[in-house]
Amino acid sequence: MGLLRAALSGARDTVSRVAPPQSQRALTDAALAHWSDTEAPRWAVESHWRSGLGELWSSVGPRQLALTRSLLASLGRDVPEGRVLEWGCGGGANAVSFAPLCREYVGVDISQHSLDECRDQVLTHTGREIRTVLVDPATPETVVAELGPGTIDLVVCFYVFELLPSSRSATQVLRAVHDLLAADGAAVIQIKYDDGTWTGAARRRDYHRHVAHMTTFKIHEFWAICEQQGLRPHVLTLVPEDELDTRYAYVLLTRSGG
Ligand SMILES: C[S@@+](CC[C@H](N)C(=O)[O-])C[C@H]1O[C@@H](n2cnc3c(N)ncnc32)[C@H](O)[C@@H]1O
C-alpha cells in the first residue's frame, strides 16, 4: 500500500511538471479556495499564525527586518519612517517588527481572517493600529486603486511569491509594487529560486497539493521580469535554507529611474 501510494504520488509530481499549466483562472480560483479553508489542518501553519508556528513565530520578524536593513544599507538607506506595505502579511510575524518603525503599516492579504489576526497581533505587541487591504489574487492592481499610486515608501514581501498561482500572477504583483512605490521608494521581495533540480521547478498545476512550490524562478529570469515591470534590481541575497524552507532569494528593488 505504501509503495503504491508513493508511486501514485510520484506520478502526480511528474504530471505537475510536464503537463501544460492549468489556466490562470483555475489557478487563481484554487488559490482563493486554499486560503479560505481556515479549518484545514495546516492552514494556521501555512498562514504563519502565532498559533501555527509556535515559538518560531517570534523569530521570523527580527530575521526579515535584519535582512531588509542589510539590503537597504547597500543603498545607504534604512526602513523609511513613512508608509510600509507588506504583501501577504499572514498572522503578523513581520508586522510586529516593522510597524513600530513607520508612520503607517499596511498589511495586504488574500485572507480577511489573516488580516484581522495581523491587526490584533500588532495591537497586542506594539499598541499600534495598522491598515489592512484584502486582495483578490486575480486582480492585485485593486490595491493600487485603493491606496493610490506612488504612496508607499517600502514594500516587503516574505514567503509569498512561491505560493502565487503562476509567474503571470507574480508579474502582476510586481507591476502593482511598481505602481505603489513612491519615486524614491524601495521593495524587498523574497522568492523561491529554481536551482535547476527536479524539486526546484515551479509546479504550475494542482495548487492545493503544491502550494509552497507553485511559482519559482531562475534568478536571472526573475531579474529580467522585475526590469520589464519597471523595477530596478540592485542586490540579491541567497538563503539556501532557513528555519522554514529552502532555496530563498531576497531582491532589493527600486523604481527604474527613481
Ligand atoms: C506563508 S504565509 C506568510 C505570511 C508572512 N508574510 C510571513 O512571512 O510570516 C503566506 C500568506 O500569503 C497570503 N497570500 C496568499 N496568496 C496571496 C496573494 N495572492 N496576495 C496576497 N497574499 C496572499 C496567505 O493568505 C498567507 O497569509
Side-chain angles (χ1 to χ4, degrees), residues 187-203:
V188 173
I189 309 266
Q190 180 194 30
I191 60 164
K192 207 175 243 185
Y193 60 85
D194 177 350
D195 59 358
T197 64
W198 182 248
T199 43
R203 303 302 199 266

Side-chain angles (χ1 to χ4, degrees), residues 165-239:
S166 66
S167 63
R168 181 171 154 193
S169 303
T171 303
Q172 288 177 303
V173 172
L174 288 170
R175 172 49 59 174
V177 168
H178 168 274
D179 293 349
L180 283 165
L181 282 181
D184 60 350
V188 173
I189 309 266
Q190 180 194 30
I191 60 164
K192 207 175 243 185
Y193 60 85
D194 177 350
D195 59 358
T197 64
W198 182 248
T199 43
R203 303 302 199 266
R204 310 175 309 156
R205 302 181 66 82
D206 206 351
Y207 186 92
H208 185 64
R209 177 176 165 80
H210 298 299
V211 56
H213 304 276
M214 286 306 293
T215 302
T216 60
F217 296 93
K218 296 209 166 66
I219 296 291
H220 62 285
E221 284 171 359
F222 188 72
W223 195 277
I225 292 170
C226 291
E227 287 179 331
Q228 284 154 15
Q229 298 312 312
L231 292 165
R232 179 175 168 208
H234 291 266
V235 192
L236 186 139
T237 297
L238 292 190
V239 179

Side-chain angles (χ1 to χ4, degrees), residues 1-14 209:
M1 196 60 190
L3 271 180
L4 180 61
R5 200 175 293 132
L8 281 174
S9 173
R12 289 174 72 183
D13 278 353
T14 305
R209 177 176 165 80

Side-chain angles (χ1 to χ4, degrees), residues 58-126:
S58 310
S59 64
V60 171
R63 188 162 44 76
Q64 305 295 23
L65 177 58
L67 236 153
T68 300
R69 281 190 147 144
S70 74
L71 288 171
L72 288 169
S74 69
L75 295 180
R77 303 187 191 184
D78 196 358
V79 173
E81 286 170 5
R83 215 175 184 199
V84 174
L85 179 146
E86 181 179 5
W87 200 285
C89 58
N94 302 302
V96 294
S97 290
F98 283 80
L101 306 177
C102 57
R103 192 180 65 246
E104 186 178 36
Y105 193 84
V106 185
V108 174
D109 206 282
I110 195 176
S111 159
Q112 186 61 51
H113 217 47
S114 281
L115 290 173
D116 295 344
E117 169 74 2
C118 182
R119 182 195 291 114
D120 289 351
Q121 290 293 351
V122 175
L123 197 55
T124 304
H125 284 81
T126 73

